[in-house]
Coordinates of all heavy atoms in Angstrom, one line a residue:
M1 N -12.4 35.7 3.5 CA -11.5 34.7 2.9 C -10.7 34.0 4.0 O -9.5 33.9 3.9 CB -10.6 35.3 1.9 CG -11.4 35.5 0.5 SD -11.9 34.0 -0.2 CE -11.0 34.1 -1.7
A2 N -11.2 33.7 5.1 CA -10.5 33.0 6.2 C -10.2 31.6 5.8 O -11.0 30.9 5.1 CB -11.2 33.1 7.5
H3 N -9.1 31.1 6.1 CA -8.7 29.7 5.8 C -8.6 28.9 7.1 O -7.7 28.1 7.3 CB -7.4 29.7 5.0 CG -7.5 30.3 3.7 ND1 -8.0 29.6 2.6 CD2 -7.2 31.5 3.2 CE1 -8.0 30.4 1.6 NE2 -7.5 31.5 1.9
D4 N -9.5 29.2 8.0 CA -9.3 28.5 9.3 C -10.4 27.4 9.5 O -10.6 26.9 10.6 CB -9.5 29.5 10.5 CG -10.8 30.3 10.4 OD1 -11.5 30.0 9.4 OD2 -11.0 31.1 11.3
N5 N -11.0 27.0 8.5 CA -12.0 26.0 8.6 C -11.6 24.6 8.0 O -12.2 24.0 7.2 CB -13.3 26.4 7.9 CG -14.5 25.5 8.2 OD1 -14.5 24.8 9.2 ND2 -15.5 25.5 7.4
N6 N -10.4 24.2 8.4 CA -9.8 23.0 7.8 C -9.4 22.0 9.0 O -8.3 22.1 9.4 CB -8.6 23.4 7.0 CG -8.0 22.1 6.3 OD1 -8.4 21.0 6.5 ND2 -7.0 22.4 5.5
P7 N -10.3 21.2 9.4 CA -10.0 20.3 10.5 C -8.9 19.3 10.2 O -8.3 18.8 11.1 CB -11.3 19.5 10.7 CG -12.0 19.6 9.4 CD -11.6 20.9 8.8
G8 N -8.6 19.1 9.0 CA -7.5 18.1 8.6 C -6.1 18.8 8.6 O -5.1 18.1 8.5
K9 N -6.1 20.1 8.8 CA -4.8 20.8 8.8 C -4.0 20.5 10.0 O -4.5 20.5 11.1 CB -5.1 22.3 8.6 CG -3.9 23.1 8.4 CD -4.3 24.6 8.2 CE -3.0 25.4 8.0 NZ -3.4 26.9 7.9
F10 N -2.7 20.3 9.9 CA -1.9 20.2 11.0 C -0.5 20.8 10.7 O -0.2 21.1 9.5 CB -1.7 18.8 11.5 CG -1.2 17.8 10.5 CD1 0.2 17.4 10.5 CD2 -2.0 17.2 9.6 CE1 0.7 16.5 9.6 CE2 -1.5 16.3 8.6 CZ -0.2 16.0 8.6
S11 N 0.2 21.2 11.7 CA 1.4 22.0 11.5 C 2.5 21.2 11.0 O 2.5 19.9 11.0 CB 1.8 22.5 12.9 OG 2.4 21.5 13.7
R12 N 3.5 21.9 10.4 CA 4.7 21.2 9.9 C 5.4 20.5 11.0 O 5.9 19.4 10.8 CB 5.6 22.3 9.3 CG 6.9 21.8 8.7 CD 7.7 22.9 8.2 NE 8.9 22.4 7.6 CZ 9.1 21.8 6.4 NH1 8.0 21.8 5.6 NH2 10.2 21.4 6.0
R13 N 5.4 21.1 12.2 CA 6.0 20.4 13.4 C 5.3 19.0 13.6 O 6.0 18.0 13.9 CB 5.9 21.3 14.6 CG 6.5 20.6 15.8 CD 6.4 21.4 17.1 NE 7.2 22.6 17.0 CZ 7.2 23.5 18.0 NH1 6.4 23.3 19.1 NH2 8.0 24.5 17.9
D14 N 4.0 19.0 13.6 CA 3.3 17.8 13.8 C 3.6 16.8 12.7 O 3.8 15.6 13.0 CB 1.7 18.0 13.7 CG 1.3 18.7 14.9 OD1 2.0 18.8 15.9 OD2 0.1 19.3 14.9
F15 N 3.8 17.2 11.5 CA 4.1 16.3 10.4 C 5.5 15.7 10.6 O 5.7 14.5 10.5 CB 4.1 17.1 9.1 CG 4.6 16.2 7.9 CD1 3.7 15.3 7.3 CD2 5.9 16.3 7.5 CE1 4.1 14.5 6.3 CE2 6.3 15.4 6.4 CZ 5.4 14.6 5.8
V16 N 6.5 16.5 11.0 CA 7.8 16.0 11.3 C 7.8 15.0 12.4 O 8.4 14.0 12.3 CB 8.8 17.2 11.6 CG1 10.1 16.7 12.0 CG2 8.9 18.1 10.3
A17 N 7.0 15.3 13.5 CA 7.0 14.4 14.6 C 6.3 13.1 14.2 O 6.8 12.0 14.6 CB 6.2 15.1 15.7
A18 N 5.3 13.2 13.4 CA 4.6 11.9 12.9 C 5.6 11.1 12.0 O 5.7 9.9 12.2 CB 3.4 12.3 12.2
A19 N 6.3 11.8 11.2 CA 7.2 11.1 10.3 C 8.3 10.4 11.1 O 8.7 9.3 10.8 CB 7.8 12.1 9.3
A20 N 8.8 11.1 12.1 CA 9.9 10.5 12.9 C 9.3 9.3 13.7 O 10.0 8.3 13.8 CB 10.4 11.6 13.9
A21 N 8.1 9.4 14.2 CA 7.5 8.3 14.9 C 7.4 7.1 14.0 O 7.7 5.9 14.4 CB 6.2 8.7 15.5
V22 N 7.0 7.3 12.8 CA 6.9 6.2 11.8 C 8.2 5.6 11.6 O 8.4 4.3 11.5 CB 6.2 6.7 10.5 CG1 6.3 5.6 9.5 CG2 4.7 7.0 10.8
T23 N 9.2 6.4 11.4 CA 10.6 5.9 11.1 C 11.1 5.1 12.2 O 11.6 4.0 12.0 CB 11.5 7.1 10.8 OG1 11.0 7.8 9.7 CG2 12.9 6.6 10.5
V24 N 10.9 5.6 13.4 CA 11.4 4.9 14.6 C 10.7 3.6 14.8 O 11.3 2.5 15.0 CB 11.3 5.7 15.9 CG1 11.5 4.9 17.1 CG2 12.2 6.9 15.8
T25 N 9.4 3.6 14.6 CA 8.6 2.3 14.7 C 9.1 1.3 13.6 O 9.3 0.2 13.9 CB 7.1 2.6 14.4 OG1 6.7 3.6 15.4 CG2 6.3 1.4 14.6
G26 N 9.4 1.8 12.5 CA 9.8 0.9 11.4 C 11.1 0.3 11.7 O 11.4 -0.9 11.3
L27 N 12.0 1.0 12.4 CA 13.3 0.5 12.7 C 13.4 -0.4 13.9 O 14.2 -1.2 14.0 CB 14.3 1.7 12.9 CG 14.6 2.5 11.6 CD1 15.4 3.7 12.0 CD2 15.3 1.7 10.6
S28 N 12.4 -0.2 14.8 CA 12.5 -0.9 16.1 C 11.7 -2.1 16.2 O 11.7 -2.7 17.2 CB 12.2 0.1 17.2 OG 10.8 0.5 17.0
T29 N 10.9 -2.4 15.2 CA 10.0 -3.6 15.3 C 10.4 -4.6 14.2 O 11.0 -4.3 13.2 CB 8.6 -3.2 15.0 OG1 8.5 -2.5 13.8 CG2 8.1 -2.3 16.1
P30 N 10.2 -5.9 14.5 CA 10.5 -6.9 13.5 C 9.6 -6.6 12.2 O 8.5 -6.1 12.3 CB 10.0 -8.2 14.1 CG 9.8 -7.9 15.6 CD 9.5 -6.4 15.7
A31 N 10.2 -7.1 11.1 CA 9.5 -6.8 9.8 C 8.4 -7.8 9.5 O 8.5 -8.6 8.6 CB 10.5 -6.7 8.7
T32 N 7.4 -7.9 10.4 CA 6.3 -8.7 10.1 C 5.2 -7.9 9.4 O 5.2 -6.7 9.6 CB 5.7 -9.3 11.4 OG1 5.2 -8.3 12.2 CG2 6.7 -10.1 12.2
A33 N 4.4 -8.6 8.7 CA 3.4 -7.8 7.9 C 2.5 -6.9 8.8 O 2.1 -5.8 8.4 CB 2.6 -8.8 7.1
D34 N 2.2 -7.4 10.0 CA 1.4 -6.7 10.9 C 2.0 -5.4 11.3 O 1.3 -4.4 11.7 CB 1.0 -7.5 12.1 CG 0.0 -8.6 11.8 OD1 -0.7 -8.5 10.7 OD2 -0.2 -9.5 12.6
D35 N 3.3 -5.4 11.4 CA 4.0 -4.2 11.9 C 4.4 -3.2 10.7 O 4.7 -2.1 11.0 CB 5.3 -4.6 12.6 CG 4.9 -5.3 13.9 OD1 3.9 -5.0 14.5 OD2 5.7 -6.2 14.3
L36 N 4.5 -3.7 9.5 CA 4.9 -2.9 8.4 C 3.9 -1.8 8.1 O 2.7 -2.1 8.2 CB 5.1 -3.7 7.2 CG 6.3 -4.6 7.1 CD1 6.3 -5.5 5.9 CD2 7.6 -3.8 7.2
P37 N 4.3 -0.6 7.8 CA 3.4 0.4 7.3 C 2.8 -0.1 6.0 O 3.4 -0.8 5.2 CB 4.2 1.6 7.2 CG 5.6 1.1 7.0 CD 5.7 -0.1 7.7
R38 N 1.5 0.2 5.8 CA 0.9 -0.2 4.6 C 1.2 0.8 3.5 O 1.4 2.0 3.7 CB -0.7 -0.2 4.8 CG -1.1 -1.2 5.8 CD -2.5 -1.2 6.1 NE -2.9 -2.2 7.1 CZ -4.1 -2.5 7.6 NH1 -5.1 -1.7 7.2 NH2 -4.3 -3.5 8.4
V39 N 1.3 0.2 2.3 CA 1.6 1.1 1.1 C 0.5 2.1 1.0 O -0.7 1.8 1.2 CB 1.7 0.2 -0.2 CG1 1.7 1.1 -1.4 CG2 2.9 -0.7 -0.1
D40 N 0.9 3.3 0.7 CA -0.1 4.4 0.5 C -0.5 4.4 -1.0 O 0.4 4.4 -1.8 CB 0.5 5.7 0.9 CG -0.4 6.9 0.8 OD1 -1.5 6.8 0.2 OD2 -0.1 8.0 1.3
E41 N -1.8 4.3 -1.2 CA -2.2 4.3 -2.6 C -1.8 5.5 -3.4 O -1.7 5.6 -4.6 CB -3.7 4.1 -2.7 CG -4.2 2.7 -2.3 CD -5.7 2.6 -2.4 OE1 -6.4 3.6 -2.6 OE2 -6.2 1.4 -2.3
A42 N -1.5 6.6 -2.6 CA -1.1 7.9 -3.2 C 0.4 7.9 -3.4 O 0.9 8.9 -4.0 CB -1.6 9.0 -2.3
D43 N 1.1 6.9 -2.9 CA 2.6 6.9 -3.1 C 2.9 6.9 -4.6 O 2.2 6.3 -5.4 CB 3.1 5.6 -2.5 CG 4.6 5.4 -2.7 OD1 4.9 4.8 -3.8 OD2 5.4 5.8 -1.9
P44 N 3.9 7.7 -5.1 CA 4.2 7.8 -6.5 C 4.4 6.4 -7.2 O 3.9 6.2 -8.3 CB 5.4 8.6 -6.6 CG 5.4 9.5 -5.3 CD 4.7 8.6 -4.3
T45 N 5.1 5.5 -6.5 CA 5.3 4.2 -7.1 C 4.0 3.4 -7.2 O 3.7 2.8 -8.2 CB 6.3 3.4 -6.3 OG1 7.5 4.1 -6.2 CG2 6.5 2.0 -6.9
A46 N 3.2 3.5 -6.1 CA 1.9 2.9 -6.1 C 1.0 3.4 -7.3 O 0.3 2.6 -8.0 CB 1.2 3.1 -4.8
Q47 N 1.0 4.7 -7.4 CA 0.2 5.3 -8.5 C 0.7 4.9 -9.9 O -0.1 4.6 -10.8 CB 0.3 6.8 -8.4 CG -0.4 7.3 -7.1 CD -1.4 8.3 -7.4 OE1 -1.2 9.3 -8.0 NE2 -2.6 8.1 -6.8
A48 N 2.1 4.8 -10.0 CA 2.6 4.5 -11.3 C 2.2 3.0 -11.7 O 2.1 2.7 -12.9 CB 4.1 4.6 -11.3
L49 N 2.1 2.2 -10.7 CA 1.8 0.8 -10.9 C 0.3 0.5 -10.8 O -0.1 -0.7 -10.8 CB 2.6 -0.1 -10.0 CG 4.2 0.0 -10.0 CD1 4.8 -0.9 -9.0 CD2 4.7 -0.2 -11.4
K50 N -0.4 1.5 -10.5 CA -1.9 1.4 -10.3 C -2.3 0.5 -9.2 O -3.3 -0.1 -9.2 CB -2.6 1.0 -11.6 CG -2.3 1.9 -12.8 CD -3.1 1.6 -14.0 CE -2.7 2.4 -15.2 NZ -2.6 3.8 -15.0
Y51 N -1.4 0.5 -8.1 CA -1.7 -0.3 -7.0 C -2.9 0.2 -6.2 O -3.1 1.4 -6.0 CB -0.5 -0.4 -6.0 CG -0.9 -1.0 -4.7 CD1 -0.9 -2.4 -4.5 CD2 -1.3 -0.2 -3.6 CE1 -1.3 -3.0 -3.4 CE2 -1.8 -0.8 -2.4 CZ -1.8 -2.2 -2.3 OH -2.2 -2.8 -1.1
V52 N -3.8 -0.8 -5.8 CA -4.9 -0.5 -5.0 C -5.1 -1.5 -3.9 O -4.7 -2.7 -4.1 CB -6.3 -0.4 -5.8 CG1 -6.3 0.8 -6.7 CG2 -6.5 -1.7 -6.5
H53 N -5.6 -1.2 -2.8 CA -5.8 -2.1 -1.7 C -7.0 -3.1 -2.0 O -7.0 -4.2 -1.5 CB -6.2 -1.4 -0.4 CG -5.1 -0.5 0.1 ND1 -3.8 -0.8 0.1 CD2 -5.2 0.7 0.7 CE1 -3.1 0.2 0.7 NE2 -3.9 1.1 1.0
D54 N -7.9 -2.6 -2.8 CA -9.1 -3.5 -3.1 C -9.1 -3.7 -4.6 O -9.6 -2.8 -5.4 CB -10.3 -2.7 -2.6 CG -11.6 -3.6 -2.9 OD1 -11.5 -4.6 -3.5 OD2 -12.7 -3.1 -2.5
A55 N -8.7 -4.9 -5.1 CA -8.6 -5.2 -6.5 C -9.9 -5.1 -7.2 O -10.0 -4.9 -8.4 CB -7.9 -6.5 -6.7
S56 N -11.0 -5.3 -6.4 CA -12.3 -5.3 -7.1 C -12.7 -3.9 -7.6 O -13.6 -3.8 -8.4 CB -13.4 -5.8 -6.1 OG -13.6 -4.8 -5.1
T57 N -11.9 -2.9 -7.2 CA -12.3 -1.6 -7.7 C -11.6 -1.3 -9.1 O -11.8 -0.2 -9.7 CB -11.8 -0.5 -6.7 OG1 -10.4 -0.5 -6.6 CG2 -12.4 -0.7 -5.4
V58 N -10.7 -2.2 -9.5 CA -10.0 -2.0 -10.8 C -10.9 -2.3 -12.0 O -11.6 -3.2 -12.0 CB -8.7 -2.8 -10.8 CG1 -8.0 -2.6 -12.1 CG2 -7.8 -2.5 -9.6
D59 N -10.7 -1.4 -13.0 CA -11.5 -1.7 -14.3 C -11.1 -3.1 -14.8 O -10.0 -3.4 -15.0 CB -11.0 -0.6 -15.2 CG -11.6 -0.7 -16.6 OD1 -12.3 -1.7 -16.9 OD2 -11.4 0.2 -17.4
P60 N -12.1 -3.9 -15.0 CA -11.9 -5.3 -15.5 C -11.1 -5.3 -16.8 O -10.4 -6.3 -17.1 CB -13.3 -5.8 -15.7 CG -14.2 -5.0 -14.8 CD -13.6 -3.6 -14.8
A61 N -11.1 -4.2 -17.5 CA -10.3 -4.2 -18.8 C -8.8 -4.2 -18.5 O -8.0 -4.5 -19.3 CB -10.7 -3.0 -19.6
Q62 N -8.5 -3.7 -17.3 CA -7.1 -3.6 -16.9 C -6.6 -4.8 -16.1 O -5.4 -5.0 -16.0 CB -6.8 -2.3 -16.0 CG -7.1 -1.1 -16.8 CD -6.7 0.1 -15.9 OE1 -5.8 0.1 -15.1 NE2 -7.4 1.2 -16.1
R63 N -7.5 -5.5 -15.5 CA -7.1 -6.6 -14.5 C -8.0 -7.8 -14.7 O -9.2 -7.7 -14.4 CB -7.2 -6.0 -13.1 CG -7.1 -7.1 -12.0 CD -7.4 -6.6 -10.6 NE -7.7 -7.8 -9.8 CZ -8.9 -8.2 -9.5 NH1 -9.9 -7.7 -10.1 NH2 -9.0 -9.3 -8.8
P64 N -7.4 -8.9 -15.1 CA -8.2 -10.2 -15.0 C -8.7 -10.4 -13.6 O -8.0 -10.2 -12.6 CB -7.1 -11.2 -15.4 CG -6.2 -10.5 -16.3 CD -6.1 -9.1 -15.6
A65 N -9.9 -10.9 -13.5 CA -10.6 -11.0 -12.2 C -9.9 -11.9 -11.2 O -10.2 -11.8 -10.0 CB -12.0 -11.4 -12.4
D66 N -9.1 -12.8 -11.6 CA -8.5 -13.8 -10.7 C -7.1 -13.3 -10.2 O -6.4 -14.1 -9.5 CB -8.3 -15.1 -11.4 CG -7.5 -15.1 -12.6 OD1 -7.1 -14.0 -13.1 OD2 -7.1 -16.2 -13.1
R67 N -6.7 -12.1 -10.4 CA -5.4 -11.6 -10.0 C -5.5 -10.7 -8.8 O -6.2 -9.7 -8.8 CB -4.7 -10.8 -11.1 CG -4.4 -11.7 -12.3 CD -3.6 -11.0 -13.4 NE -3.3 -11.9 -14.5 CZ -2.6 -11.6 -15.5 NH1 -2.1 -10.3 -15.6 NH2 -2.4 -12.5 -16.5
F68 N -4.8 -11.2 -7.7 CA -4.8 -10.4 -6.5 C -3.3 -10.5 -6.0 O -2.6 -11.4 -6.3 CB -5.7 -11.1 -5.4 CG -7.1 -11.1 -5.7 CD1 -7.7 -12.1 -6.4 CD2 -7.9 -10.0 -5.3 CE1 -9.1 -12.1 -6.7 CE2 -9.3 -10.0 -5.6 CZ -9.9 -11.1 -6.3
C69 N -3.0 -9.6 -5.1 CA -1.7 -9.6 -4.5 C -1.4 -11.0 -3.8 O -0.3 -11.6 -3.9 CB -1.5 -8.6 -3.4 SG -1.3 -6.9 -4.0
N70 N -2.5 -11.6 -3.2 CA -2.2 -12.8 -2.5 C -2.0 -14.0 -3.4 O -1.7 -15.1 -2.9 CB -3.3 -13.1 -1.4 CG -4.7 -13.3 -2.0 OD1 -4.8 -13.5 -3.3 ND2 -5.7 -13.2 -1.2
N71 N -2.1 -13.9 -4.7 CA -1.7 -15.0 -5.6 C -0.6 -14.5 -6.6 O -0.4 -15.1 -7.6 CB -2.9 -15.7 -6.3 CG -3.7 -14.7 -7.2 OD1 -3.2 -13.6 -7.5 ND2 -4.8 -15.2 -7.6
C72 N 0.1 -13.5 -6.2 CA 1.2 -12.9 -7.0 C 2.5 -13.5 -6.5 O 2.7 -13.7 -5.3 CB 1.2 -11.4 -6.9 SG 2.6 -10.5 -7.6
A73 N 3.4 -13.7 -7.4 CA 4.7 -14.2 -7.1 C 5.5 -13.3 -6.1 O 6.4 -13.8 -5.4 CB 5.5 -14.4 -8.4
L74 N 5.2 -12.1 -6.1 CA 6.0 -11.1 -5.3 C 5.4 -10.9 -3.9 O 5.9 -10.2 -3.1 CB 6.1 -9.8 -6.0 CG 6.7 -9.9 -7.4 CD1 6.7 -8.5 -8.1 CD2 8.1 -10.5 -7.3
F75 N 4.2 -11.5 -3.6 CA 3.6 -11.4 -2.3 C 4.3 -12.2 -1.3 O 4.5 -13.4 -1.5 CB 2.1 -11.9 -2.5 CG 1.2 -11.6 -1.3 CD1 0.9 -10.3 -0.9 CD2 0.7 -12.6 -0.5 CE1 0.1 -10.0 0.1 CE2 -0.2 -12.3 0.6 CZ -0.5 -11.0 0.9
G76 N 4.7 -11.5 -0.2 CA 5.6 -12.2 0.7 C 4.8 -12.9 1.9 O 5.4 -13.1 2.9
G77 N 3.6 -13.2 1.7 CA 2.8 -13.8 2.7 C 2.1 -15.0 2.2 O 2.3 -15.5 1.1
A78 N 1.3 -15.6 3.1 CA 0.4 -16.8 2.7 C -0.8 -16.3 2.0 O -1.2 -15.1 2.1 CB 0.0 -17.5 4.0
A79 N -1.4 -17.2 1.3 CA -2.6 -16.8 0.5 C -3.7 -16.2 1.3 O -4.5 -15.4 0.8 CB -3.1 -18.0 -0.3
D80 N -3.8 -16.5 2.6 CA -4.9 -16.0 3.4 C -4.4 -14.8 4.3 O -5.2 -14.4 5.1 CB -5.5 -17.1 4.2 CG -4.5 -17.7 5.2 OD1 -3.3 -17.4 5.1 OD2 -5.0 -18.5 6.0
D81 N -3.2 -14.3 4.1 CA -2.8 -13.1 4.8 C -3.5 -11.9 4.3 O -3.5 -11.6 3.1 CB -1.3 -13.0 4.7 CG -0.5 -13.9 5.6 OD1 -1.1 -14.5 6.5 OD2 0.7 -14.1 5.4
A82 N -4.0 -11.1 5.2 CA -4.7 -9.8 4.8 C -3.6 -8.8 4.3 O -3.9 -8.0 3.4 CB -5.5 -9.3 6.0
W83 N -2.4 -8.8 4.9 CA -1.4 -7.9 4.5 C -0.1 -8.6 4.5 O 0.1 -9.5 5.4 CB -1.3 -6.7 5.5 CG -2.5 -5.9 5.4 CD1 -3.7 -6.0 6.2 CD2 -2.8 -4.7 4.6 NE1 -4.6 -5.1 5.8 CE2 -4.1 -4.2 4.9 CE3 -2.0 -4.0 3.6 CZ2 -4.6 -3.1 4.2 CZ3 -2.5 -2.9 3.0 CH2 -3.8 -2.5 3.3
A84 N 0.8 -8.3 3.6 CA 2.1 -9.0 3.6 C 3.1 -8.1 2.8 O 2.7 -7.2 2.0 CB 2.0 -10.3 3.0
P85 N 4.4 -8.3 3.0 CA 5.4 -7.5 2.3 C 5.3 -7.9 0.8 O 4.9 -8.9 0.4 CB 6.7 -8.0 2.8 CG 6.4 -8.7 4.1 CD 5.0 -9.2 4.0
C86 N 5.8 -6.9 0.0 CA 5.9 -7.1 -1.5 C 7.2 -6.5 -1.9 O 7.6 -5.4 -1.5 CB 4.8 -6.4 -2.2 SG 5.1 -6.2 -4.0
S87 N 8.0 -7.2 -2.7 CA 9.3 -6.7 -3.0 C 9.3 -5.5 -3.9 O 10.3 -4.8 -4.0 CB 10.1 -7.9 -3.7 OG 9.4 -8.4 -4.8
I88 N 8.2 -5.2 -4.5 CA 8.1 -3.9 -5.2 C 8.0 -2.7 -4.3 O 8.4 -1.6 -4.7 CB 6.8 -4.0 -6.1 CG1 6.8 -5.1 -7.1 CG2 6.5 -2.6 -6.8 CD1 7.9 -4.8 -8.2
F89 N 7.6 -2.9 -3.1 CA 7.4 -1.9 -2.1 C 8.2 -2.2 -0.9 O 7.6 -2.7 0.1 CB 5.9 -1.6 -1.8 CG 5.1 -1.2 -2.9 CD1 4.3 -2.2 -3.6 CD2 5.1 0.1 -3.4 CE1 3.5 -1.8 -4.6 CE2 4.3 0.4 -4.5 CZ 3.5 -0.5 -5.1
P90 N 9.5 -2.1 -0.9 CA 10.4 -2.5 0.3 C 9.9 -1.8 1.5 O 9.7 -0.6 1.5 CB 11.8 -2.1 -0.2 CG 11.7 -2.0 -1.7 CD 10.3 -1.5 -2.0
G91 N 9.8 -2.6 2.6 CA 9.5 -2.0 3.9 C 8.0 -1.7 4.1 O 7.6 -1.1 5.1
K92 N 7.2 -2.1 3.1 CA 5.8 -1.8 3.2 C 5.0 -3.1 3.0 O 5.5 -4.1 2.5 CB 5.3 -0.8 2.1 CG 6.1 0.5 2.1 CD 5.5 1.4 3.2 CE 6.3 2.8 3.3 NZ 6.1 3.6 2.0
A93 N 3.7 -3.0 3.5 CA 2.9 -4.2 3.3 C 1.8 -3.8 2.3 O 1.3 -2.7 2.2 CB 2.2 -4.5 4.6
V94 N 1.5 -4.8 1.5 CA 0.4 -4.6 0.5 C -0.8 -5.5 0.9 O -0.6 -6.5 1.7 CB 0.8 -5.0 -0.9 CG1 1.9 -4.1 -1.4 CG2 1.3 -6.5 -1.0
A95 N -2.0 -5.2 0.5 CA -3.2 -5.9 0.9 C -3.3 -7.2 0.1 O -3.0 -7.3 -1.1 CB -4.4 -5.1 0.6
G96 N -3.6 -8.3 0.8 CA -3.8 -9.6 0.1 C -4.9 -9.5 -1.0 O -4.8 -10.1 -2.1
K97 N -5.9 -8.6 -0.8 CA -6.9 -8.4 -1.8 C -6.6 -7.3 -2.7 O -7.4 -6.8 -3.5 CB -8.3 -8.2 -1.1 CG -8.8 -9.4 -0.3 CD -9.1 -10.5 -1.3 CE -9.7 -11.7 -0.5 NZ -9.9 -12.9 -1.3
G98 N -5.3 -6.8 -2.7 CA -4.9 -5.7 -3.5 C -4.4 -6.2 -4.9 O -4.5 -7.4 -5.2
W99 N -3.9 -5.3 -5.6 CA -3.4 -5.6 -7.0 C -2.6 -4.5 -7.5 O -2.8 -3.3 -7.1 CB -4.6 -5.9 -7.9 CG -4.2 -6.0 -9.4 CD1 -3.9 -7.2 -10.0 CD2 -4.1 -5.0 -10.4 NE1 -3.6 -6.9 -11.3 CE2 -3.8 -5.6 -11.6 CE3 -4.4 -3.6 -10.4 CZ2 -3.6 -4.9 -12.8 CZ3 -4.2 -2.9 -11.5 CH2 -3.8 -3.5 -12.7
C100 N -1.6 -4.8 -8.4 CA -0.9 -3.7 -9.2 C -0.6 -4.3 -10.5 O -0.8 -5.5 -10.7 CB 0.3 -3.2 -8.5 SG 1.8 -4.1 -8.8
N101 N -0.2 -3.4 -11.4 CA -0.1 -3.9 -12.8 C 1.2 -4.6 -13.1 O 1.5 -5.0 -14.3 CB -0.3 -2.8 -13.8 CG 0.7 -1.7 -13.8 OD1 1.7 -1.8 -13.1 ND2 0.5 -0.6 -14.5
V102 N 2.0 -5.0 -12.1 CA 3.2 -5.8 -12.3 C 2.9 -7.2 -11.7 O 3.8 -8.0 -11.5 CB 4.5 -5.3 -11.8 CG1 4.9 -4.0 -12.6 CG2 4.5 -5.0 -10.4
W103 N 1.7 -7.5 -11.4 CA 1.3 -8.8 -10.9 C 2.0 -9.9 -11.8 O 2.0 -9.8 -13.0 CB -0.2 -9.0 -11.0 CG -0.7 -10.3 -10.5 CD1 -1.2 -10.6 -9.2 CD2 -0.8 -11.5 -11.2 NE1 -1.5 -11.9 -9.1 CE2 -1.3 -12.5 -10.3 CE3 -0.5 -11.9 -12.5 CZ2 -1.5 -13.8 -10.7 CZ3 -0.7 -13.2 -12.9 CH2 -1.2 -14.2 -12.0
A104 N 2.5 -10.9 -11.1 CA 3.2 -12.0 -11.8 C 2.7 -13.3 -11.3 O 2.5 -13.4 -10.1 CB 4.7 -11.9 -11.7
P105 N 2.6 -14.3 -12.1 CA 2.1 -15.6 -11.6 C 3.2 -16.3 -10.7 O 4.4 -16.2 -11.0 CB 1.9 -16.4 -12.9 CG 2.7 -15.8 -13.9 CD 2.8 -14.3 -13.6
K106 N 2.7 -17.0 -9.7 CA 3.7 -17.8 -8.9 C 4.2 -18.9 -9.8 O 3.5 -19.4 -10.6 CB 2.9 -18.4 -7.7 CG 2.6 -17.4 -6.6 CD 1.8 -18.1 -5.5 CE 1.3 -17.1 -4.5 NZ 2.3 -16.8 -3.5
A107 N 5.5 -19.2 -9.5 CA 6.1 -20.3 -10.2 C 5.4 -21.6 -9.9 O 5.1 -21.9 -8.7 CB 7.6 -20.4 -9.9
G108 N 5.1 -22.4 -10.8 CA 4.4 -23.6 -10.6 C 5.3 -24.7 -10.1 O 4.9 -25.7 -9.6
Ligands
LIG1 FE1 0.5 -7.0 -5.3 FE2 2.2 -8.4 -6.8 FE3 1.8 -5.8 -7.3 FE4 3.2 -6.6 -5.1 S1 3.8 -6.9 -7.3 S2 1.6 -5.0 -5.2 S3 2.1 -8.5 -4.6 S4 0.3 -7.4 -7.5

């Protein structure tokens, strides 16, 4: 019953170091979409809102086919930006082709 066959396993020390590096990077760079960390689909908020990077994977019963982050009122980028900030996920970037269930139409 050895548990040594897990290539994805890393130490707590490695985790802390990685988390610190992400934090420092986030604080030391301008908040452009290219520099922002991407929202993790496994993040509790992302899960609660059913956020995904690829809207085409969403059950059509849950999402009208014309709704993407890049045409949502809360998307902080241009329509052709692959990634941009979203006010629902402060400090993170969401995918232009993504979606979540609080999608809102842009003001006309
Ligand atoms: Fe995408 Fe809009 Fe949801 Fe933000 S609020 S994740 S831009 S659909």
Side-chain angles (χ1 to χ4, degrees):
M1 280 296 242
H3 293 278
D4 58 357
N5 189 24
N6 183 355
K9 185 177 179 184
F10 58 101
S11 73
R12 181 179 179 83
R13 177 184 291 179
D14 289 341
F15 176 81
V16 171
V22 168
T23 302
V24 169
T25 300
L27 292 174
S28 63
T29 55
T32 65
D34 286 343
D35 294 327
L36 288 174
R38 297 175 178 180
V39 169
D40 185 344
E41 290 179 348
D43 175 273
T45 303
Q47 295 234 308
L49 302 179
K50 304 190 185 311
Y51 169 82
V52 292
H53 298 319
D54 181 357
S56 70
T57 64
V58 179
D59 180 349
Q62 294 186 32
R63 169 190 161 265
D66 60 348
R67 294 184 179 183
F68 296 91
C69 288
N70 64 12
N71 62 11
C72 170
L74 302 178
F75 190 65
D80 60 352
D81 282 345
W83 295 88
C86 165
S87 52
I88 295 291
F89 299 101
K92 301 283 177 64
V94 297
K97 294 297 184 187
W99 172 88
C100 87
N101 67 6
V102 296
W103 181 96
K106 288 177 182 279

